[in-house]
Amino acid sequence: MEYRGYDSAGVAVVADGAISYRKKAGKIVNLVADLEANPLPDSGLGIGHTRWATHGGPTDANAHPHVSTGDRVALIHNGIIENFAVLRAELEAEGTEFTSETDSEAAAQLLGREVSAGVDLADAMRAVCNRLEGAFTLVAVDALEPHRLVAARRNSPLVVGVGDGENFVASDVSAFIEFTRFAIELGQDQVVDVTADSIVVTDFAGNPADTHPFEVTWDLSAAEKSGYDWFMRKEIYEQPRAVADTLLGRYNTDGSLKLDELHIPESELRLVDKIVIVACGTAYYAGLVAKYAIEHWTRIACEVEIASEFRYRDPIITRSTLVVTLSQSGETADTLMAIRHAREQHAKVIAICNTNGATIPRESDAVIYTHAGPEIGVASTKGFLTQVAACYLLGLYLAQVRGTMYDDEIHAVMAELAATPPLIQKVLDELDPIKELAKRFIDQKSVLFLGRHVGYPVALEGALKLKEIAYLHAEGFPAGELKHGPIALVEEGIPIFIIVPPQGRDQLHDKVVSNIQEVRARGALTIVLAEEGDHEVDPYADVLFRLPKVSTLLQPLVATVPLQMFACELATLKGYDVDQPRNLAKSVTVE
Ligand code: AGP
């Protein structure tokens, strides 16, 4: 399960009326060494977990399993428990002492309280699930039941492995595929009660639930990719969930923002007179998208800087400057050096990062973690979309704190943002034309991408994806810039992707339609991405890909996805290693 990302790991077994467990921060080899030095007792029942931290850094104490007070139950958790703080306060008020910073421990302590009060383990699990809000897969064991485990899922994967005289539960089949290929997929809001020779599935109310048995035909490698050919393709399809998880818990039901994790006093945020976003590569393009939104919502000047250029140009940074760094890995050396420089100039630094406890968030004043889950493919996809989503949250929060938008305006944008995951899913469900398109360009030497406003950074990102994994010359331009030189590149048959902004009040849409005509008149093959119902573009589109209707500023969340898939498909057709492209690394830890 290491491929799922880990910053800590642990195991627990039930033997001799007790729970024995070991858990260690860092790589799994650390846990193995600890187990060799401190072996667990023999047992026929155990649970294990590799953690990708969301709440609480990667430490031994925050590693799973979490054991309830008195060591009665052990529990492991994947996902985000949105209301953990309320539950923790309730338990602490009763005298429960927590030993970690995690949201997961709240579930463990709740379960321990139920079981210690004599509630059956499965009934206790159902009671706990009915208290939790958010996304969770839970697996738990009871010290006094050495032959039984219970598990539950909501908005997070869980699958049962059906063995011969043994059974398994796991996040995905790769955990047990070497022991059995017979599996049962659990549905939403279900609890499974498992022994070596019985599997009982109910809903959260205790009613028997339908099960979906299947046979796993994948090999282990394919299983780690959930059956996809590449981690990148899997991660493209994970984007609705990744964006939803990144938004989860950061806004109230009325649409107001709550970024409790920021820990920067609102009074300080009100004094900010400039924002500088610093990042590299795809993260830099996410920053370019953010600039449009943040400036529009907060009326604060927002510069976006390539990290490797930033600190060498003697930038103007003061105590009133807010520096925001974007980094999926949190280890990019150029970005790290840039924020060190910014902090030397007494700027406040907020990190938007996908890796809990990484160097960049540790060296920043505050952090907003994206919850994309581990991104294995070198070419960033869900990392980009979740960085954009997190920047939107920050922009709306700043507008809320500084009063530069009316509350109902903020709530309306937040409501639309919260509704984007299903729209991203809709794009994913309609990608076949993009896959067909890739076949036409397998021998293409150059591709151009055009966009205006937030469509421009999307064009840059689409071009970068193609460069990175299909090794193709590709360039993104502001559509309005074409006539100032790049249009000389346009020749018969050159494919040009054009991201068309939504039809609206401003001139933006019509000017891009004119740009399409300009390039088509010179022989380009125009691949037009335009919202549903926009028929002004029809006469000028050789290929037309429809996008769901969203506001201009939010369009990158849907417009980027077809470009990601086009690059993935073309690189696959060319026979390249999509996940580990030549010359590249997932995290560039050298300057
Ligand atoms: C994106 O597909 C590339 N892998 C690369 O540009 C990447 O975005 C850049 O190196 C920044 O990485 P980070 O987000 O981990 O800091």
Side-chain angles (χ1 to χ4, degrees):
M1 302 296 275
E2 287 190 80
Y3 79 91
R4 292 176 69 89
Y6 52 85
D7 43 56
S8 52
V11 289
V13 298
V14 176
D16 310 328
I19 287 171
S20 303
Y21 64 100
R22 300 280 184 276
K23 53 186 190 172
K24 293 297 283 182
K27 294 190 181 304
I28 289 177
V29 290
N30 297 357
L31 176 64
V32 172
D34 187 47
L35 286 165
E36 284 167 354
N38 310 287
L40 294 173
D42 289 344
S43 168
L45 173 65
I47 56 177
H49 184 270
T50 58
R51 182 171 183 241
W52 180 265
T54 57
H55 293 72
T59 62
D60 293 1
N62 288 339
H64 302 210
H66 287 288
V67 183
S68 63
T69 304
D71 291 6
R72 177 63 189 271
V73 301
L75 175 139
I76 54 184
H77 164 231
N78 280 346
I80 300 162
I81 297 171
E82 188 179 338
N83 62 330
F84 81 95
V86 170
L87 299 172
R88 180 170 178 142
E90 175 189 314
L91 288 156
E92 287 177 327
E94 296 170 359
T96 300
E97 289 187 18
F98 279 68
T99 58
S100 80
E101 310 159 290
T102 67
D103 54 337
S104 312
E105 189 185 356
Q109 296 292 3
L110 271 183
L111 187 70
R113 183 177 70 177
E114 292 289 321
V115 171
S116 301
V119 177
D120 170 75
L121 185 57
D123 292 337
M125 177 60 86
R126 283 185 281 267
V128 168
C129 290
N130 286 312
R131 294 290 312 275
L132 303 184
E133 295 169 12
F136 51 87
T137 294
L138 304 172
V139 183
V141 291
D142 173 357
L144 303 187
E145 295 218 54
H147 304 296
R148 183 186 182 197
L149 70 76
V150 294
R153 71 166 294 266
R154 168 180 286 169
N155 293 330
S156 181
L158 182 66
V159 63
V160 180
V162 185
D164 179 7
E166 59 181 6
N167 289 318
F168 309 80
V169 296
S171 306
D172 72 47
V173 297
S174 56
F176 54 71
I177 197 171
E178 61 187 292
F179 304 107
T180 180
R181 288 184 172 276
F182 299 101
I184 296 171
E185 184 163 6
L186 291 194
Q188 181 76 319
D189 287 9
Q190 289 188 345
V191 171
V192 63
D193 187 348
V194 184
T195 66
D197 49 23
S198 69
I199 296 168
V200 177
V201 181
T202 72
D203 62 17
F204 281 1
N207 306 308
D210 295 337
T211 58
H212 309 278
F214 67 97
E215 185 173 355
V216 184
T217 55
W218 304 323
D219 62 22
L220 182 57
S221 167
E224 290 178 347
K225 303 180 190 88
S226 300
Y228 289 102
D229 52 354
W230 303 111
F231 279 112
M232 180 185 180
R233 201 186 302 271
K234 172 172 174 269
E235 288 152 9
I236 288 172
Y237 280 95
E238 287 176 337
Q239 292 182 116
R241 174 85 269 138
V243 170
D245 283 352
T246 297
L247 301 176
L248 195 64
R250 288 165 164 163
Y251 60 97
N252 299 303
T253 48
D254 69 357
S256 57
L257 280 291
K258 56 175 181 176
L259 290 186
D260 305 338
E261 67 256 57
L262 268 192
H263 304 308
I264 296 182
E266 291 189 6
S267 56
E268 283 193 33
L269 294 175
R270 290 192 191 96
L271 296 176
V272 168
D273 64 7
K274 180 167 78 167
I275 293 172
V276 179
I277 297 174
V278 181
C280 302
T282 286
Y284 169 72
Y285 299 149
L288 288 176
V289 171
K291 171 189 172 72
Y292 290 91
I294 288 174
E295 288 193 335
H296 182 66
W297 293 334
T298 69
R299 309 316 297 156
I300 305 172
C302 180
E303 298 169 4
V304 189
E305 298 267 359
I306 289 175
S308 56
E309 289 294 312
F310 173 68
R311 67 191 180 107
Y312 296 109
R313 68 168 189 78
D314 192 14
I316 299 168
I317 300 291
T318 71
R319 293 177 189 281
S320 307
T321 306
L322 175 64
V323 170
V324 179
T325 70
L326 305 181
S327 178
Q328 190 286 133
S329 65
E331 299 298 344
T332 301
D334 288 326
T335 308
L336 177 60
M337 294 302 125
I339 63 169
R340 285 179 179 168
H341 179 81
R343 297 199 73 192
E344 286 162 12
Q345 310 300 315
H346 310 296
K348 273 277 184 276
V349 178
I350 294 177
I352 291 179
C353 184
N354 192 46
T355 309
N356 200 299
T359 306
I360 287 173
R362 279 208 313 272
E363 295 201 16
S364 301
D365 296 291
V367 57
I368 298 173
Y369 282 112
T370 53
H371 293 149
E375 187 176 67
I376 311 298
V378 165
S380 185
T381 50
K382 61 180 185 174
F384 175 78
L385 245 54
T386 52
Q387 284 164 352
V388 170
C391 286
Y392 289 149
L393 289 171
L394 178 61
L396 290 170
Y397 179 73
L398 288 172
Q400 180 174 286
V401 165
R402 297 166 65 96
T404 49
M405 289 169 74
Y406 292 112
D407 286 350
D408 59 343
E409 290 176 313
I410 293 171
H411 302 171
V413 176
M414 188 62 239
E416 185 184 5
L417 177 55
T420 54
L423 301 182
I424 300 167
Q425 186 57 54
K426 186 172 189 300
V427 174
L428 291 168
D429 294 341
E430 298 168 357
L431 281 178
D432 286 348
I434 286 288
K435 296 175 183 176
E436 283 307 306
L437 187 65
K439 293 175 185 168
R440 296 172 56 177
F441 301 126
I442 195 160
D443 298 319
Q444 188 59 33
K445 298 293 178 250
S446 180
V447 177
L448 304 184
F449 294 78
L450 305 181
R452 281 182 186 254
H453 199 271
V454 288
Y456 166 42
V458 172
L460 293 171
E461 172 59 8
L464 178 60
K465 290 282 115 15
L466 218 45
K467 286 180 234 185
E468 275 193 280
I469 63 177
Y471 313 148
L472 201 60
H473 170 259
E475 276 199 77
F477 296 104
E481 189 60 10
L482 215 61
K483 55 189 176 295
H484 300 289
I487 200 163
L489 290 172
V490 178
E491 56 192 17
E492 188 63 31
I494 186 170
I496 300 185
F497 285 82
I498 305 103
I499 299 100
V500 180
Q503 295 175 294
R505 299 182 306 277
D506 55 28
Q507 304 270 312
L508 216 50
H509 175 272
D510 298 346
K511 291 202 180 302
V512 174
V513 174
S514 302
N515 299 139
I516 299 173
Q517 295 177 61
E518 283 166 20
V519 295
R520 195 153 188 269
R522 291 165 174 78
L525 187 149
T526 55
I527 303 147
V528 175
L529 282 68
E531 70 175 355
E532 293 153 355
D534 177 357
H535 295 295
E536 286 186 53
V537 299
D538 295 7
Y540 317 110
D542 293 306
V543 177
L544 181 52
F545 187 84
R546 288 295 179 190
L547 298 173
K549 279 183 173 294
V550 290
S551 302
T552 301
L553 285 171
L554 301 188
Q555 198 183 47
L557 291 178
V558 293
T560 310
V561 176
L563 307 184
Q564 295 167 340
M565 186 54 78
F566 177 77
C568 181
E569 197 64 21
L570 187 54
T572 303
L573 291 171
K574 291 166 83 105
Y576 296 150
D577 184 338
V578 170
D579 285 334
Q580 296 177 340
R582 69 186 183 197
N583 310 335
L584 291 174
K586 184 57 186 169
S587 178
V588 184
T589 55
V590 293
E591 279 195 279

